């Protein structure tokens, strides 16, 4: 086993999602997606989800950074940094504008042909997410989003068209981005972005969430089977938002509480990897009287469609405490989540914990024994442009450096099988959570603010040259 540096073929790169950078929301036959009806929020508040487009509201994803028209320039900059791979998503609404069509939209397919060709020209391997918070809005209004079993077929058709069309251009795939965000069903953001679900008064939110997740897990498993049949070389992964949960103290009830919260948030991974529901979640549904539409055929599909690797995002860790009276160790984020005095926070309140990444890589390996891929990691921060146009983002370099150090330890000391590392938002883009442009992650600055003003001009931040060296030295020079 390798005990010196990183593997020679390690996939260094960067990650984005179509809706957060492409813009051109009505160009090339594209339909409206869930991202197109979300306004801009702030560090403390999620974005508003409106019913259709309301005149006078600002929808930052409509133009985003207009990657749709700038992609050749942007990929050239990625190549200059030495990217080995580039993670993006295929906007579902470019391929199936409404979502329930039988035939795909050729102009949309053509766009991604050109985009992938442009990557391959520089030997940049595309890494593609099929569903990254981009559900066709028509599937929400006409079908109720993933409340509806019909969505399985719509997704599978979309996946099959993409697999078939790009079978010689794309090898690395993921099905549903951060499928487990919706475990947090008390708020409105994750159910809408994950599953196209608006909750109504009186809805049993939790039951609806598990149902939607089930349909997505079945859809994912069917897609995996189809993908492998189209090209046996495909590597098809799941994608999980990994926020490790620590106990507040070594009190046994705190330890057990942390374990139960991990189960609640990560059972999705068990289904993707093992092809079946773990007992703890079945027991939980029984106790909560949660009744789901799960057929024996579904269970067969889950078994046959297990993933090849686990893709995950890592930004932060969280801490929980067990409160008295919570006899079943049920999780309520509002009362059970506590701060961590040992780590600092970003301006958006995300707890910065590089060692947590090593912990996470080890936990995933111990639990699932599959190759891993860090497909998001990064530091959302305010940047200041100096009078000469430079951006001195040493705080971002610091964040990434500390995380890469821990990643290397996990590989070199712990023997974790890691395919690659793609920091989030390698070029500034629209924040998923808040819709802000000024929550920046990029190595490349984009001149645009939270209200939509700016020239869209691209420029290199200090982190650009730094990351270029990191890749060149395969992680030796940090
Ligand atoms: P933003 C919450 C917690 C962790 C990751 O997030 C999350 C979210 C949702 O906001 O999302 C992922 O833009 C997601 C990306 C997103 C990125 O993390 O809110 O996969 O689409 O942009 C960063 O700062």
């Amino acid at each position: 086993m390798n005990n010196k540096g990183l593997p020679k073929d390690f996939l260094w790169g960067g990650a984005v999602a179509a809706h957060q950078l492409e813009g051109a929301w009505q160009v090339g036959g594209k339909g409206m997606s869930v991202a197109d009806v979300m306004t801009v929020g702030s560090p403390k508040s999620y974005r508003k989800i409106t019913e259709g487009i309301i005149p006078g509201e600002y929808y930052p994803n409509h133009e985003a950074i207009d990657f749709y028209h700038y992609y050749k320039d942007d990929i050239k900059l990625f190549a200059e940094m030495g990217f080995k791979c580039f993670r993006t998503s295929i906007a579902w609404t470019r391929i199936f504008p409404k979502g329930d069509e039988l035939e795909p939209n050729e102009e949309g397919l053509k766009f991604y042909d050109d985009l992938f060709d442009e990557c391959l020209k520089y030997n940049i391997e595309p890494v593609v997410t099929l569903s990254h918070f981009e559900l066709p809005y028509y599937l929400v209004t006409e079908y109720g989003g993933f409340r509806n079993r019909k969505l399985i077929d719509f997704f599978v058709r979309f996946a099959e068209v993409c697999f078939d069309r790009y079978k010689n251009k794309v090898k690395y795939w993921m099905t549903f981005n951060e499928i487990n965000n919706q475990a947090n069903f008390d708020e409105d953001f994750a159910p809408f972005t994950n599953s196209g679900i608006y909750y109504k008064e009186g809805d049993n939110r939790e039951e609806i969430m598990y149902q939607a997740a089930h349909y997505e897990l079945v859809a994912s498993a069917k897609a995996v089977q189809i993908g492998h049949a189209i090209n046996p070389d495909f590597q098809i992964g799941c994608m999980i938002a990994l926020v490790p949960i620590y106990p507040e103290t070594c009190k046994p009830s705190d330890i057990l509480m942390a374990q139960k919260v991990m189960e609640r948030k990560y059972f999705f991974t068990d289904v993707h990897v093992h092809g079946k529901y773990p007992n703890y979640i079945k027991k939980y549904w029984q106790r909560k009287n949660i009744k789901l539409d799960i057929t024996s055929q579904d269970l067969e599909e889950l078994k046959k469609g297990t993933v090849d690797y686990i893709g995950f995002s890592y930004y932060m860790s969280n801490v929980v405490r067990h409160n008295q009276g919570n006899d079943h160790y049920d999780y309520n984020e509002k009362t059970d989540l506590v701060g961590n005095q040992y780590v600092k926070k970003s301006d958006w309140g995300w707890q910065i914990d590089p060692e947590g990444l090593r912990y996470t890589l080890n936990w995933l390996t111990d639990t699932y024994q599959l190759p891993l891929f860090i497909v998001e990691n990064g530091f959302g921060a305010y940047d200041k442009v100096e009078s000469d146009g430079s951006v001195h983002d040493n705080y971002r370099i610091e964040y990434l450096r500390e995380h890469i150090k821990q990643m290397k330890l996990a590989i070199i000391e712990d023997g974790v099988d890691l395919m690659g590392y793609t920091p989030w938002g390698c070029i500034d883009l629209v924040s998923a959570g808040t819709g802000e442009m000024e929550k920046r992650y990029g190595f490349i600055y984009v001149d645009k603010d939270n209200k939509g003003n700016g020239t869209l001009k691209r420029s290199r931040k200090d982190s650009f040259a730094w990351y270029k060296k990191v890749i060149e030295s395969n992680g030796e020079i940090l």
Side-chain angles (χ1 to χ4, degrees):
M1 195 174 289
N2 163 35
N3 59 3
K4 276 224 166 69
L6 296 182
K8 293 248 159 345
D9 54 356
F10 191 73
L11 289 169
W12 293 99
V16 301
H19 72 284
Q20 288 171 262
L21 87 170
E22 283 179 7
W25 73 297
Q26 292 179 307
V27 176
K30 182 185 170 295
M32 199 153 96
S33 85
V34 294
D36 293 321
V37 297
M38 296 177 71
T39 65
V40 63
S42 74
K44 297 238 157 18
S45 61
Y46 280 131
R47 330 163 56 175
K48 258 192 304 187
I49 301 165
T50 59
E51 284 194 33
I53 306 294
I54 311 282
E57 289 283 5
Y58 174 55
Y59 297 96
N61 298 65
H62 289 185
E63 183 194 53
I65 62 161
D66 199 18
F67 180 75
Y68 188 84
H69 294 107
Y70 283 76
Y71 72 91
K72 289 195 179 167
D73 298 340
D74 294 340
I75 290 169
K76 194 166 172 206
L77 288 166
F78 301 154
E80 187 183 325
M81 276 186 278
F83 279 22
K84 314 277 184 224
C85 74
F86 172 54
R87 173 182 179 230
T88 189
S89 61
I90 295 178
W92 189 338
T93 50
R94 288 200 192 283
I95 313 303
F96 290 99
K98 286 158 73 186
D100 65 353
E101 300 92 337
L102 295 174
E103 294 304 321
N105 169 37
E106 176 55 31
E107 216 178 329
L109 287 168
K110 175 78 171 55
F111 171 69
Y112 292 103
D113 264 323
D114 295 345
L115 173 60
F116 299 147
D117 286 343
E118 197 64 23
C119 293
L120 296 169
K121 180 171 124 187
Y122 298 103
N123 288 321
I124 296 174
E125 190 89 57
V127 176
V128 174
T129 320
L130 287 165
S131 180
H132 192 135
F133 308 166
E134 293 157 334
L135 205 80
Y137 188 60
Y138 183 81
L139 296 184
V140 175
T141 54
E142 292 304 306
Y143 295 88
F146 265 98
R147 288 172 192 254
N148 192 328
R149 177 176 277 279
K150 290 199 177 108
L151 273 270
I152 297 178
D153 290 344
F154 298 145
F155 174 80
V156 170
R157 187 178 303 146
F158 164 58
E160 182 165 10
V161 163
C162 295
F163 288 149
D164 191 52
R165 176 78 170 219
Y166 309 118
K167 58 178 175 289
N168 300 320
K169 297 184 183 179
V170 179
K171 176 175 170 196
Y172 299 98
W173 300 88
M174 278 166 279
T175 52
F176 289 91
N177 185 65
E178 292 191 338
I179 189 170
N180 62 317
N181 282 352
Q182 55 197 330
N184 194 5
F185 55 85
D186 279 331
E187 36 88 331
D188 296 330
F189 173 79
F192 190 66
T193 49
N194 274 146
S195 302
I197 288 177
Y198 282 120
Y199 284 119
K200 301 188 289 278
E201 274 292 301
D203 268 349
N204 180 345
R205 284 180 167 245
E206 192 169 23
E207 186 170 88
I208 292 166
M209 180 277 286
Y210 281 116
Q211 187 64 68
H214 172 69
Y215 291 149
E216 285 157 14
L217 289 163
V218 172
S220 171
K222 288 180 124 180
V224 168
Q225 296 171 59
I226 292 170
H228 285 151
I230 290 176
N231 185 345
D233 289 338
F234 277 176
Q235 292 287 307
I236 311 176
C238 56
M239 199 308 201
I240 308 290
L242 228 307
V243 180
I245 305 297
Y246 302 154
E248 185 186 27
T249 71
C250 54
K251 196 162 66 176
S253 60
D254 279 342
I255 307 287
L256 190 57
M257 183 68 195
Q259 184 176 47
K260 288 287 146 195
V261 178
M262 289 289 273
E263 289 176 357
R264 206 62 23 88
K265 289 169 77 92
Y266 303 118
F267 84 92
F268 302 81
T269 328
D270 289 72
V271 184
H272 275 304
V273 173
H274 301 311
K276 59 177 190 189
Y277 284 101
N279 283 347
Y280 60 74
I281 203 78
K282 292 195 259 185
K283 286 287 182 187
Y284 180 77
W285 292 339
Q286 266 174 21
R287 178 163 61 77
K288 291 277 204 138
N289 199 25
I290 289 172
K291 298 262 186 295
L292 302 176
D293 164 34
I294 300 180
T295 67
S296 51
Q297 179 64 35
D298 291 348
L299 298 176
E300 277 306 301
E301 301 292 354
L302 292 179
K303 237 186 259 167
K304 289 188 285 187
T306 55
V307 294
D308 300 315
Y309 69 94
I310 300 171
F312 70 98
S313 63
Y314 178 84
Y315 293 90
M316 60 189 139
S317 59
N318 275 336
V319 176
V320 291
R321 77 155 53 120
H322 176 252
N323 283 306
Q324 260 196 336
N326 183 7
D327 296 343
H328 293 290
Y329 294 81
D330 287 337
Y331 179 44
N332 178 340
E333 197 170 293
K334 291 198 190 77
T335 53
D336 306 335
L337 207 59
V338 293
N340 184 342
Q341 58 174 314
Y342 301 103
V343 303
K344 293 202 190 91
K345 286 183 190 171
S346 81
D347 288 329
W348 281 260
W350 292 17
Q351 299 186 135
I352 305 162
D353 175 15
E355 279 175 292
L357 176 58
R358 181 174 177 188
Y359 172 81
T360 294
L361 286 162
N362 277 278
W363 180 78
L364 282 168
T365 300
D366 296 348
T367 312
Y368 300 111
Q369 302 292 331
L370 268 193
L372 306 175
F373 200 156
I374 303 171
V375 296
E376 290 183 28
N377 172 234
F379 191 54
Y382 294 107
D383 287 335
K384 180 165 168 277
V385 185
E386 306 294 336
S387 51
D388 65 354
S390 57
V391 176
H392 304 307
D393 58 341
N394 52 316
Y395 36 87
R396 183 169 295 108
I397 295 175
E398 178 73 12
Y399 177 100
L400 295 170
R401 177 190 290 132
E402 293 311 310
H403 283 77
I404 294 173
K405 277 188 194 162
Q406 295 297 325
M407 168 182 101
K408 284 173 65 180
L409 286 169
I411 297 173
I412 296 165
E413 289 206 9
D414 307 329
V416 163
D417 181 3
L418 187 65
M419 296 158 64
Y421 176 73
T422 58
W424 176 252
C426 47
I427 180 165
D428 290 348
L429 39 59
V430 176
S431 156
T434 68
E436 295 164 289
M437 264 308 296
E438 291 166 51
K439 186 183 188 188
R440 298 176 185 278
Y441 288 89
F443 303 114
I444 300 164
Y445 187 87
V446 178
D447 177 31
K448 189 170 181 185
D449 68 15
N450 286 344
K451 298 198 178 77
N453 304 311
T455 60
L456 294 179
K457 185 173 167 295
R458 276 67 164 153
S459 54
R460 297 168 187 78
K461 303 181 196 177
D462 286 358
S463 55
F464 184 102
W466 172 81
Y467 192 48
K468 181 175 183 335
K469 267 212 206 96
V470 172
I471 298 179
E472 231 164 47
S473 65
N474 202 21
E476 289 302 307
I477 302 172
L478 292 176

